[in-house]
Amino acid sequence: KLLQNDCGSTGELRIYDRYGKLMFQTNDLGKSWDGTLGGKPLPSSDYWYQINDGNGQLVTNHFALKR
């Protein structure tokens, strides 16, 4: 929901692990990521995200997933 407030409901979200491997991708910014890959919980670590708002703006940042 925070992404929808910042970027609207259209765009693309990608989440990567610290090595650059794609963990999650969606074109629905209302859809959240549950911290899993293939149904298995990913470890606590730093992850990076990119949000393309569909208007040419690309936002990149990181967050810590804690279990």
Side-chain angles (χ1 to χ4, degrees):
K1 304 230 188 260
L2 177 62
L3 294 176
Q4 285 181 326
N5 292 337
D6 292 342
C7 299
S9 61
T10 60
E12 182 180 42
L13 168 65
R14 293 180 183 180
I15 298 177
Y16 300 90
D17 69 6
R18 60 197 260 186
Y19 303 106
K21 181 178 176 185
L22 184 64
M23 302 283 108
F24 178 77
Q25 180 177 357
T26 184
N27 289 322
D28 179 359
L29 296 182
K31 185 176 180 182
S32 62
W33 180 54
D34 61 2
T36 64
L37 180 63
K40 296 182 181 179
L42 291 171
S44 295
S45 186
D46 289 329
Y47 293 86
W48 289 84
Y49 66 87
Q50 288 185 325
I51 302 168
N52 183 332
D53 71 358
N55 294 318
Q57 183 179 1
L58 182 65
V59 176
T60 302
N61 212 331
H62 65 95
F63 63 94
L65 176 66
K66 296 184 178 185
R67 298 257 176 224

